[in-house]
Amino acid sequence: MAATIARGIRAPIIRQGDDIVAITVDSVLRAMKQDGFCLNDRDVVAVTEAVVARAAGNYASVDQIAADVKQKLGGGTVGVVFPILSRNRFAICLRGIARGARKIVLQMSYPSDEVGNHLLDEDLLDDSGVNPYTDVLTAAEFQKRFGVSCHPFTRVDYIGYYRQLIEAEGAEAEIILANRPETILEYTGDVLCCDIHTRNRTARRIKKAGGHTVLTLADILNAPVDGGGFNAEFGLLGSNKATENTVKLFPQNAQAVAEGISQALSRHTGKRIEAMVYGDGAFKDPAGKIWELADPTVAPGFTEGLLGLPNELKLKYLADNDFAQLSGEALMEAVRKAIREKEGDLMGSMASQGTTPRRLTDLIGSLCDLVSGSGDKGTPIVVVQNYFTNYAM
C-alpha cells in the first residue's frame, strides 16, 4: 500500500576533508539496520550540495572575490545589476565585489528581486503612478515615495544594508532602482549581472546596448584565485555565506559524488540505486511570494536513471472519462491495464494533463529539500523510495 516515501537520514557533522561518499553510504546502511527498511531497485539516495562542497573544501574569501573582480572588470566603476536580497546568498559576494572596485552602481529591480524578495508591496506600486517598466528611481526617490523598505521575514532594509556593505569596503556607492538592464549603461560600461536564472538574457541585452565588459556571477571564481575554491561552470552562483569573510561555493565534484554513492550502495544492496546531489528546491512560498530556487540548478549531479520527465496518466481523468461506467475492482483493473499499456511518450495526451511535466531531478530534488530543510534537523541525506512505482505495480 505504501508508495513514495522520503526519509531524512542523520549524518555526522561534515568537515573539510571528509569522504562524503563513504559517510553517506555508511549513514544510509546504519539507518536501514536501525529502522528496518531495505532499498529497492531505483530508490534514490540524495545528499545536499552544502555538505558535498564543505567536504571538498570549496571555499573562497572576500579577498579572492575582490581580486577576480578587479582583474576582470578593471577596478573602476562597476555596475552590479539585479542582485538578490539575501544576507546568506549575496552579502559576502557584494563585499568582495566592492573591495575590487572604486565605485559600485547597484541597480536593484523592483518591486521584488528575481526570486521574489519584495522591496515593496505590488499594490502600493499600482497606486503610486510609477511605471516599473520605464521609471528609474534613486534610492532617495524610492524611499520618499514608499518609505524605508524592510524585508517581511528578516526585517532588513536591503537598500541601506547593501549601501553600508559597499561603503565599508572603501568603495563609493550609488543605488538605483530600475528594471531595464540597459539602464546601467548610463552609469558605466563595466557590468556584473548578478541575477541567477535570467543572467544570460540580462547580459545579452546589456552587451547589445553597448556594454564594454559584461559578465555574470558565473564568470567570477570560475577558476582558482590564489589557491582558493572555484566552480568552473557556475562561479559564484550557488554560493552561501560560510563566515564573515568566506563563502562556500557550489560543489565542483557533484557528479562524481552522485555516481560514487550509487555504485557503492548498489554493491552493498545488490539493487540498482540512483543518487543525486541536490540544492534548493524549485517551489514558491504562497505567503511570502519567495521562489526558493536561489541555486542555479536543483541538481548539480545525478545518475543517468534520473534523466527525463515523468510519463504518467491522470487517474482522475481515466476514472471520469474513459472508465466512467466502471466501479470497484473492475475500475481498478481497467486503470491498471491502461497504465501497463500506456505509450512511451504521453506528452500532449489529454489523459496525462495535470501530471506536472517537470524534470525528475527538479521534482525529486524539491522533495529532498523540503524533507531535509536548512535548519537543525541534521538530515543532509534523504532516501526516496518507490518514486518510480505506480498503481499497476
Side-chain angles (χ1 to χ4, degrees), residues 28-43:
V28 171
L29 293 175
R30 289 174 59 195
M32 290 167 60
K33 182 177 180 180
Q34 185 178 94
D35 294 341
F37 69 93
C38 297
L39 293 180
N40 303 307
D41 281 330
R42 300 206 69 194
D43 283 350

Side-chain angles (χ1 to χ4, degrees), residues 247-260:
V247 291
K248 177 199 63 61
L249 299 171
F250 222 41
Q252 278 277 97
N253 59 335
Q255 187 61 33
V257 167
E259 292 174 358

Side-chain angles (χ1 to χ4, degrees), residues 250-318:
F250 222 41
Q252 278 277 97
N253 59 335
Q255 187 61 33
V257 167
E259 292 174 358
I261 292 169
S262 171
Q263 292 164 8
L265 282 172
S266 295
R267 286 196 304 270
H268 276 285
T269 63
K271 306 292 184 180
R272 175 188 170 187
I273 305 302
E274 306 290 352
M276 69 185 298
V277 175
Y278 68 95
D280 279 344
F283 46 83
K284 185 175 181 178
D285 171 28
K289 304 177 184 177
I290 298 170
W291 185 32
E292 176 67 12
L293 187 56
D295 284 329
T297 182
V298 173
F302 54 90
T303 49
E304 187 176 3
L306 299 180
L307 280 169
L309 309 174
N311 188 54
E312 300 178 348
L313 292 169
K314 191 76 167 180
L315 300 196
K316 291 189 298 183
Y317 182 89
L318 294 177

Side-chain angles (χ1 to χ4, degrees), residues 50 52 116 153 157 203 264 366:
V52 174
F153 293 162
D157 164 21
S366 298

Side-chain angles (χ1 to χ4, degrees), residues 166-179:
I166 294 166
E167 293 177 343
E169 295 300 328
E172 182 184 349
E174 182 173 359
I175 297 178
I176 61 171
L177 294 101
N179 290 322

